[in-house]
Amino acid sequence: MSQNRSYRQHAGKKGKSSGTKATERKARKSNSRYADHEKNFIFWCRGCNVPLVEAKCCTCGKDGLRIILSQPADVRFCSPYERQILHEQLIKLFGCDPLNERIVLLNKIPGDDKTDEVIVDGLFFGILRFEIRSMDYVFEPMVQGAKVLLRNCTKKLVVLKKSNRHLNGKKLGSDMIEDVSADIKNGDYVLIDSGNLTGYGIAYCNAENLQDCRASVIKVRKVDSREVFLNPEVPNMDDVVAANIKHLRTLGKNAMNTIKGIANQKQYKDLPVNVSFSGGKDSLVVLDLAGSALRSRDVGAFFLNTGIEFPETVDFVHEYCRDNNIRLIEKKASTGFWDNVEAFGPPAKDFRWCCKICKLSPANEAIEQCLEIAPVCLTIDGKRKYESFNRAKIAASEKNTFVPGQLNIFPIRDWRAIEVWLYIYWRGLQYNPLYDMGFERVGCYLCPAALSAEYERLKDLHPELYETWNFFLFEWAKKTGTPEQFVGHGLWRWKELPPKMLKFCEEMGISSSFKEQLSPFSIKVTSGISPCKAGGYTIEGAISGLSMKKTSNVINILGKPSFSEELGLLFVSKDSSTVKIFSSGSMVVNSENKEKAEQLFEDVSKQLDRNHRCTECGICINACPCGAIVLDAGNGILVNEKCIGCGRCTDSCVILKYSGKF
């Protein structure tokens, strides 16, 4: 580029930082995977240059600037590995990294895979995303970040001719270009300078072809006239903790009061207390809080070893409990996953058969052991509302719907990730090393809920585990007629692809029209009527060709449903009866006597049978007196909450009338 633009220096400059008002006003779209949380903001102390979880800085006493976050607003600190990725991207794209040792926050936003807003000095610097097309990271600047980069970088620069035209969102021809960097390639994000307007855009051709291109050569994403500067203050993590110390003490005190308020109630005060300890950051904080809140009580840790945990997680759990003299109850699923994966195929986000075998079974074993010496198994859990839509409405304490006899306490349900990490840094807690290696979550290493970005890290850290699982996936793809690209791009993680993945397949030319061969739908009793430890009588069944979508569509007819995505379990309660349907195809019906158990098993079987073989004729829609039924194309009927359970739709069903099954 012939000449670099000169800028005024920051020295002595006062007034509102660029983008402040726009940032405060900006309404960002939420993602349906997450609930919209009221606390979708943090604060930033401009004097101390630190993020704040509440308005007032505990160091200087001044109020911070409110920063509005995209939902779900579960902002966190950038890990060392993520910071290295960001550094490499900035050097590769723009030839410089002006952030140096600054505090960097990442805020998860909607995307095909790992996608985060990058926040530095209270500025929205850019977006760091993992592209499943290239299976690599990409950095896209935002307008505030572009202005910072323009002051420091020499690559990917475009100078536009001065114009009175409105530029944002416009595609421009070569006649509008005054100068460009020679390094620009088609598809690159570029930094734009146009008189007093600066920002960023995307190139539509290589720099060397600019003059020959008759079509648009650049699209302007966003430019404006505001000035942006990095703060001269460069704090460290100790400074961030100090600026939030009063808020952290309040958070800790409130969480301990939640624990004590429930655990010290008359019916629970003499019972042992266990923390559900997965080796993750949230359960780590809860374990520390429980020990502080209940110093005179016997506080232990439940660790459910699924047999497919990261080695680092298993080692961390053992070492932490040993070093802190914490009683550890470890229940192992052993080889349960590998014993069943050939029969079920890979687990999926919508087909979590593995959770029943690897989590629920060991959990039941741990709870039963606890119940041998106590009437209730009192468990403290680190679930948080900000993690997912399904957890958005958790209360301070809840009886476990899926495991009778367990009462869970959720003391940090309202905490965000940044508050969890600040607590860890404040208390000096040793934490799972996987967080520093690029993992946002530290569950099973082949969990379908994990991101492709994290699965790629598995390849780097544990190539032997990666190769074993990848070998199985390719063999499964060959056997089922699944395109191999489903393995390479992580599409095996869905049984039924969501719209965004169907669009991805279309763009990449990957066939998504194939159908994995499913067994014909059928239900059979696998265990006759027998007394249940928890009371009543139980019948167990096996379902072939099960679709959890078609099942959940009609389950309102039978009673109030709840779904555990984590366990792949649909639970229905009605009066004194319960139904559990697992995505693996298991069904357990429990009622107070044999006759009711038999009748309930038959009722459930009828509803599942009618919707799995539904022809979508619509007769039941006309039969419903309260308008509770609609067609759900490809998934039979959908029965909503208006259902009063009158049974008229069932009586009118042609499938049931002529099947001869019942």
Side-chain angles (χ1 to χ4, degrees):
M1 191 166 185
S2 59
Q3 185 176 335
N4 203 355
R5 176 178 167 87
S6 62
Y7 295 92
R8 287 184 295 170
Q9 297 300 309
H10 179 48
K13 186 170 181 64
K14 302 285 184 181
K16 202 121 173 141
S17 172
S18 164
T20 296
K21 293 181 180 177
T23 300
E24 292 180 359
R25 291 193 304 262
K26 189 172 183 180
R28 292 186 169 84
K29 296 178 181 178
S30 62
N31 182 2
S32 60
R33 285 178 56 213
Y34 306 102
D36 284 349
H37 299 285
E38 291 180 8
K39 200 167 184 180
N40 65 333
F41 55 85
I42 57 171
F43 298 90
W44 203 283
C45 178
R46 294 172 63 200
C48 302
N49 195 26
V50 291
L52 305 172
V53 296
E54 295 294 345
K56 191 172 291 296
C57 176
C58 302
T59 299
C60 69
K62 295 179 180 178
D63 285 346
L65 171 72
R66 182 186 289 246
I67 307 292
I68 303 298
L69 303 170
S70 299
Q71 295 283 1
D74 198 24
V75 65
R76 68 188 190 279
F77 293 101
C78 184
S79 71
Y81 176 79
E82 291 164 324
R83 182 64 185 91
Q84 180 61 31
I85 292 293
L86 179 59
H87 170 77
E88 291 170 358
Q89 286 292 313
L90 292 173
I91 294 297
K92 181 176 76 172
L93 295 172
F94 304 111
C96 72
D97 178 0
L99 304 184
N100 300 315
E101 300 301 317
R102 294 175 184 275
I103 298 294
V104 179
L105 299 186
L106 298 179
N107 183 47
K108 178 166 52 183
I109 60 174
D112 290 345
D113 203 74
K114 185 180 175 70
T115 309
D116 294 293
E117 288 175 328
V118 179
I119 303 171
V120 183
D121 289 10
L123 305 171
F124 286 94
F125 189 77
I127 295 172
L128 185 64
R129 70 167 64 91
F130 187 84
E131 283 283 358
I132 57 174
R133 289 159 183 79
S134 61
M135 298 300 285
D136 199 1
Y137 281 93
V138 173
F139 175 78
E140 175 184 353
M142 296 172 78
V143 67
Q144 293 178 332
K147 291 172 183 290
V148 171
L149 290 167
L150 273 165
R151 295 178 179 279
N152 296 273
C153 299
T154 58
K155 295 174 67 175
K156 311 297 182 190
L157 305 181
V158 174
V159 177
L160 300 181
K161 294 175 181 177
K162 292 183 180 180
S163 171
N164 294 325
R165 292 174 55 184
H166 176 74
L167 296 177
N168 287 330
K170 300 297 183 184
K171 296 178 181 179
L172 306 178
S174 58
D175 60 310
M176 285 292 295
I177 308 298
E178 184 173 298
D179 202 358
V180 297
S181 301
D183 60 315
I184 292 175
K185 301 296 181 185
N186 185 16
D188 283 350
Y189 291 110
V190 295
L191 307 175
I192 296 176
D193 177 0
S194 179
N196 68 332
L197 301 176
T198 52
Y200 78 109
I202 187 165
Y204 281 173
C205 72
N206 297 346
E208 63 266 26
N209 302 327
L210 187 79
Q211 300 304 323
D212 300 327
C213 188
R214 296 183 180 180
S216 300
V217 297
I218 188 174
K219 180 177 181 178
V220 179
R221 286 287 180 88
K222 180 72 180 292
V223 293
D224 61 41
S225 60
R226 292 168 295 179
E227 292 191 316
V228 168
F229 304 91
L230 289 175
N231 196 309
E233 293 292 326
V234 183
N236 58 33
M237 192 57 70
D238 289 339
D239 298 321
V240 181
V241 171
N244 287 277
I245 191 65
K246 292 180 182 177
H247 313 312
L248 292 174
R249 287 175 179 149
T250 300
L251 278 170
K253 181 180 178 181
N254 291 341
M256 287 191 287
N257 285 341
T258 297
I259 295 170
K260 289 188 284 189
I262 297 168
N264 289 340
Q265 289 177 17
K266 184 177 180 181
Q267 65 269 43
Y268 306 132
K269 65 183 181 66
D270 296 323
L271 301 181
V273 178
N274 293 288
V275 173
S276 182
F277 188 37
S278 67
K281 68 183 189 308
D282 302 324
S283 60
L284 169 66
V285 166
V286 165
L287 186 57
D288 186 69
L289 287 165
S292 299
L294 305 172
R295 294 184 184 279
S296 61
R297 298 278 286 276
D298 175 22
V299 177
F302 280 154
F303 175 49
L304 307 179
N305 187 338
T306 61
I308 43 177
E309 301 286 343
F310 280 94
E312 290 87 349
T313 297
V314 177
D315 291 344
F316 169 69
V317 167
H318 290 167
E319 290 169 9
Y320 188 86
C321 290
R322 182 197 65 214
D323 294 346
N324 293 277
N325 197 28
I326 295 170
R327 172 176 53 87
L328 177 64
I329 301 172
E330 180 178 6
K331 296 299 178 183
K332 299 180 180 180
S334 189
T335 60
F337 178 85
W338 298 107
D339 293 342
N340 288 275
V341 70
E342 287 287 347
F344 290 123
K349 293 174 186 284
D350 48 350
F351 181 54
R352 296 197 184 188
W353 62 264
C354 51
C355 291
K356 178 177 186 285
I357 293 166
C358 301
K359 281 189 176 180
L360 194 59
S361 180
N364 277 325
E365 188 181 336
I367 301 305
E368 285 181 9
Q369 180 178 328
C370 180
L371 293 175
E372 289 175 0
I373 58 172
V376 175
C377 185
L378 201 58
T379 309
I380 305 175
D381 195 291
K383 287 187 177 68
R384 299 184 297 109
K385 292 179 179 180
Y386 289 83
E387 292 178 284
S388 70
F389 186 86
N390 290 331
R391 296 182 177 182
K393 295 182 179 179
I394 52 177
S397 66
E398 294 178 357
K399 290 183 178 179
N400 192 333
T401 307
F402 310 108
V403 183
Q406 184 183 30
L407 177 68
N408 284 317
I409 303 172
F410 304 106
I412 64 168
R413 65 195 182 283
D414 294 320
W415 291 28
R416 294 167 298 175
I418 189 172
E419 290 158 333
V420 171
W421 281 112
L422 282 171
Y423 182 92
I424 290 171
Y425 296 140
W426 170 42
R427 296 281 291 166
L429 302 180
Q430 175 191 2
Y431 57 85
N432 193 321
L434 289 172
Y435 286 113
D436 286 345
M437 300 177 189
F439 293 89
E440 188 182 340
R441 58 180 298 281
V442 292
C444 303
Y445 64 78
L446 47 71
C447 179
L451 300 164
S452 287
E454 294 171 331
Y455 191 54
E456 286 298 293
R457 282 298 282 153
L458 173 67
K459 180 166 63 174
D460 297 334
L461 297 172
H462 296 287
E464 72 289 352
L465 298 179
Y466 177 88
E467 289 301 328
T468 298
W469 181 232
N470 241 31
F471 177 80
F472 169 81
L473 288 174
F474 278 115
E475 289 297 306
W476 161 79
K478 198 183 301 179
K479 187 167 57 179
T480 59
T482 303
E484 287 192 353
Q485 296 98 317
F486 268 58
V487 177
H489 293 285
L491 299 171
W492 59 268
R493 295 173 296 162
W494 289 271
K495 197 78 170 174
E496 296 180 22
L497 292 176
K500 69 176 183 179
M501 290 296 109
L502 289 171
K503 182 180 178 183
F504 168 78
C505 287
E506 184 180 346
E507 292 171 353
M508 296 291 290
I510 301 172
S511 173
S512 60
S513 59
F514 76 97
K515 286 284 184 182
E516 186 181 346
Q517 289 297 109
L518 296 176
S519 305
F521 179 80
S522 66
I523 302 177
K524 65 179 181 180
V525 175
T526 56
S527 177
I529 303 173
S530 59
C532 178
K533 284 184 181 180
Y537 289 80
T538 294
I539 305 177
E540 295 185 13
I543 308 170
S544 296
L546 174 69
S547 164
M548 289 297 276
K549 172 67 174 172
K550 292 179 179 179
T551 300
S552 61
N553 273 5
V554 293
I555 213 70
N556 273 326
I557 294 174
L558 299 170
K560 185 179 179 181
S562 56
F563 180 68
S564 170
E565 183 181 2
E566 186 179 357
L567 296 175
L569 169 58
L570 189 63
F571 180 88
V572 185
S573 61
K574 184 178 181 182
D575 301 326
S576 58
S577 302
T578 62
V579 180
K580 295 178 183 177
I581 301 173
F582 296 89
S583 58
S584 60
S586 299
M587 180 168 74
V588 181
V589 170
N590 179 271
S591 197
E592 57 188 300
N593 57 50
K594 294 181 180 180
E595 293 74 22
K596 286 187 176 181
E598 284 181 326
Q599 184 61 53
L600 182 57
F601 191 92
E602 181 176 334
D603 290 345
V604 174
S605 300
K606 280 184 178 181
Q607 298 306 329
L608 268 58
D609 186 50
R610 67 182 282 213
N611 213 35
H612 278 76
R613 298 196 290 138
C614 179
T615 61
E616 300 183 7
C617 67
I619 292 176
C620 61
I621 296 175
N622 297 323
C624 179
C626 52
I629 304 175
V630 295
L631 290 179
D632 184 12
N635 292 301
I637 58 170
L638 173 62
V639 182
N640 61 36
E641 292 81 3
K642 295 179 184 176
C643 178
I644 57 174
C646 67
R648 292 185 189 179
C649 61
T650 307
D651 295 338
S652 71
C653 180
V654 176
I655 293 290
L656 295 182
K657 187 173 183 179
Y658 295 106
S659 68
K661 183 170 182 178
F662 297 101

Short mmCIF file of all heavy atoms in Angstrom, two decimals, residues 6 71 133 148 162 251 270 293 321-322 325 390 447 452 515 626:
data_model
loop_
_atom_site.label_atom_id
_atom_site.label_comp_id
_atom_site.label_asym_id
_atom_site.label_seq_id
_atom_site.Cartn_x
_atom_site.Cartn_y
_atom_site.Cartn_z
N SER A 6 -2.65 8.56 8.73
CA SER A 6 -2.17 9.05 10.02
C SER A 6 -3.35 9.34 10.92
O SER A 6 -4.39 9.78 10.46
CB SER A 6 -1.35 10.33 9.84
OG SER A 6 -2.14 11.35 9.28
N GLN A 71 -27.28 -12.80 23.76
CA GLN A 71 -27.75 -13.93 24.54
C GLN A 71 -27.00 -15.20 24.12
O GLN A 71 -26.60 -15.32 22.98
CB GLN A 71 -29.25 -14.12 24.34
CG GLN A 71 -30.10 -12.98 24.85
CD GLN A 71 -30.25 -13.00 26.37
OE1 GLN A 71 -29.70 -13.88 27.05
NE2 GLN A 71 -30.99 -12.05 26.90
N ARG A 133 -16.70 -25.88 7.80
CA ARG A 133 -16.39 -26.08 6.38
C ARG A 133 -14.90 -26.39 6.21
O ARG A 133 -14.52 -27.34 5.55
CB ARG A 133 -16.78 -24.84 5.57
CG ARG A 133 -18.28 -24.64 5.45
CD ARG A 133 -18.63 -23.21 5.11
NE ARG A 133 -20.07 -23.00 5.05
CZ ARG A 133 -20.85 -22.86 6.13
NH1 ARG A 133 -20.32 -22.89 7.34
NH2 ARG A 133 -22.15 -22.69 5.99
N VAL A 148 -9.22 -0.23 15.87
CA VAL A 148 -7.99 -0.50 16.62
C VAL A 148 -6.92 -1.09 15.70
O VAL A 148 -5.75 -0.69 15.72
CB VAL A 148 -8.28 -1.45 17.80
CG1 VAL A 148 -6.97 -1.91 18.46
CG2 VAL A 148 -9.18 -0.79 18.83
N LYS A 162 -13.25 9.35 -1.18
CA LYS A 162 -14.24 10.06 -0.37
C LYS A 162 -15.55 10.15 -1.13
O LYS A 162 -15.58 10.39 -2.34
CB LYS A 162 -13.74 11.45 -0.01
CG LYS A 162 -12.55 11.42 0.95
CD LYS A 162 -12.13 12.84 1.35
CE LYS A 162 -10.94 12.78 2.30
NZ LYS A 162 -10.50 14.14 2.70
N LEU A 251 -21.84 -12.85 46.35
CA LEU A 251 -22.24 -14.05 45.62
C LEU A 251 -21.98 -15.30 46.45
O LEU A 251 -22.84 -16.19 46.56
CB LEU A 251 -21.46 -14.15 44.30
CG LEU A 251 -21.95 -13.34 43.10
CD1 LEU A 251 -20.91 -13.38 41.98
CD2 LEU A 251 -23.28 -13.86 42.60
N ASP A 270 -29.24 -33.71 59.91
CA ASP A 270 -28.36 -34.79 60.37
C ASP A 270 -27.92 -35.72 59.24
O ASP A 270 -27.27 -36.75 59.50
CB ASP A 270 -29.07 -35.60 61.46
CG ASP A 270 -29.36 -34.77 62.70
OD1 ASP A 270 -28.51 -33.93 63.05
OD2 ASP A 270 -30.43 -34.95 63.31
N ALA A 293 -19.74 -23.73 53.72
CA ALA A 293 -21.05 -23.52 54.34
C ALA A 293 -21.36 -24.55 55.42
O ALA A 293 -22.05 -24.25 56.39
CB ALA A 293 -22.14 -23.55 53.27
N CYS A 321 -9.67 -34.21 45.35
CA CYS A 321 -10.29 -34.77 46.56
C CYS A 321 -9.22 -35.26 47.54
O CYS A 321 -9.36 -35.08 48.76
CB CYS A 321 -11.25 -35.90 46.19
SG CYS A 321 -12.74 -35.31 45.35
N ARG A 322 -8.16 -35.85 47.03
CA ARG A 322 -7.07 -36.32 47.90
C ARG A 322 -6.38 -35.14 48.59
O ARG A 322 -6.18 -35.15 49.81
CB ARG A 322 -6.05 -37.10 47.07
CG ARG A 322 -4.89 -37.68 47.88
CD ARG A 322 -3.75 -38.06 46.95
NE ARG A 322 -3.19 -36.88 46.31
CZ ARG A 322 -2.70 -36.88 45.07
NH1 ARG A 322 -2.71 -37.97 44.33
NH2 ARG A 322 -2.19 -35.76 44.57
N ASN A 325 -8.68 -33.54 51.19
CA ASN A 325 -9.24 -34.46 52.19
C ASN A 325 -10.77 -34.55 52.08
O ASN A 325 -11.50 -34.45 53.06
CB ASN A 325 -8.84 -34.01 53.61
CG ASN A 325 -9.02 -35.12 54.63
OD1 ASN A 325 -8.94 -36.30 54.29
ND2 ASN A 325 -9.30 -34.72 55.87
N ASN A 390 -32.98 -25.63 28.73
CA ASN A 390 -33.58 -26.60 29.64
C ASN A 390 -33.29 -26.30 31.10
O ASN A 390 -34.02 -26.74 31.99
CB ASN A 390 -33.08 -28.02 29.30
CG ASN A 390 -33.64 -28.53 27.99
OD1 ASN A 390 -34.73 -28.15 27.59
ND2 ASN A 390 -32.90 -29.39 27.31
N CYS A 447 -18.65 -36.88 23.50
CA CYS A 447 -20.04 -36.46 23.69
C CYS A 447 -20.55 -35.72 22.45
O CYS A 447 -19.87 -34.82 21.94
CB CYS A 447 -20.16 -35.55 24.92
SG CYS A 447 -21.84 -34.96 25.21
N SER A 452 -17.20 -29.25 17.45
CA SER A 452 -16.17 -29.79 16.56
C SER A 452 -14.80 -29.21 16.90
O SER A 452 -13.78 -29.89 16.78
CB SER A 452 -16.52 -29.46 15.10
OG SER A 452 -17.60 -30.25 14.66
N LYS A 515 -31.55 -42.13 4.34
CA LYS A 515 -32.24 -42.50 5.58
C LYS A 515 -31.54 -43.72 6.18
O LYS A 515 -31.42 -44.76 5.54
CB LYS A 515 -33.71 -42.85 5.30
CG LYS A 515 -34.58 -41.62 5.01
CD LYS A 515 -34.89 -40.87 6.29
CE LYS A 515 -35.84 -39.71 6.03
NZ LYS A 515 -36.12 -38.93 7.25
N CYS A 626 -61.08 -29.61 21.90
CA CYS A 626 -60.46 -28.38 22.40
C CYS A 626 -59.34 -27.85 21.50
O CYS A 626 -58.56 -26.99 21.92
CB CYS A 626 -59.94 -28.60 23.83
SG CYS A 626 -58.89 -30.04 24.02
#
